[in-house]
Amino acid sequence: MRTGSEPTTARSPLRMRFWLSVWGVVWTMAGTVAFALTGHPGWALACGIPFLVVVADLLFVVRHIRQGPHYQPGRDVPPYEPPADRR
């Protein structure tokens, strides 16, 4: 529900999440490869599962960034009334 008191300069955290996901992909991939090469399959799996989660988050973020900005009502649009109690 829109109250009319939202910040007028609010910014999306998607770019920050993108770069944090890239950082996570690099480190989880490096950990997975390093542990696999040194013969520690349990630790490689422990780094591989977060790798899959981070890649999924990265794809999600890229999808939302590509969708572009969505409509946000301006100052001329009054706040919405709260829904009536439907008892």
Side-chain angles (χ1 to χ4, degrees), residues 15 45 52:
R15 300 262 183 225
L45 182 65
L52 295 176

Side-chain angles (χ1 to χ4, degrees):
M1 173 172 52
R2 184 172 180 275
T3 62
S5 62
E6 295 86 5
T8 58
T9 59
R11 297 184 62 177
S12 172
L14 288 176
R15 300 262 183 225
M16 179 183 65
R17 278 183 58 191
F18 172 78
W19 289 111
L20 287 173
S21 293
V22 168
W23 182 255
V25 165
V26 169
W27 279 103
T28 55
M29 185 174 22
T32 303
V33 170
F35 283 123
L37 291 176
T38 58
H40 295 90
W43 285 106
L45 182 65
C47 288
I49 291 172
F51 171 76
L52 295 176
V53 172
V54 171
V55 167
D57 183 54
L58 183 64
L59 294 174
F60 177 79
V61 168
V62 168
R63 178 177 166 261
H64 279 279
I65 288 173
R66 290 182 138 211
Q67 285 178 346
H70 297 286
Y71 169 75
Q72 294 293 318
R75 290 182 175 263
D76 57 331
V77 178
Y80 300 128
E81 292 294 324
D85 192 22
R86 297 182 186 194
R87 288 187 197 176

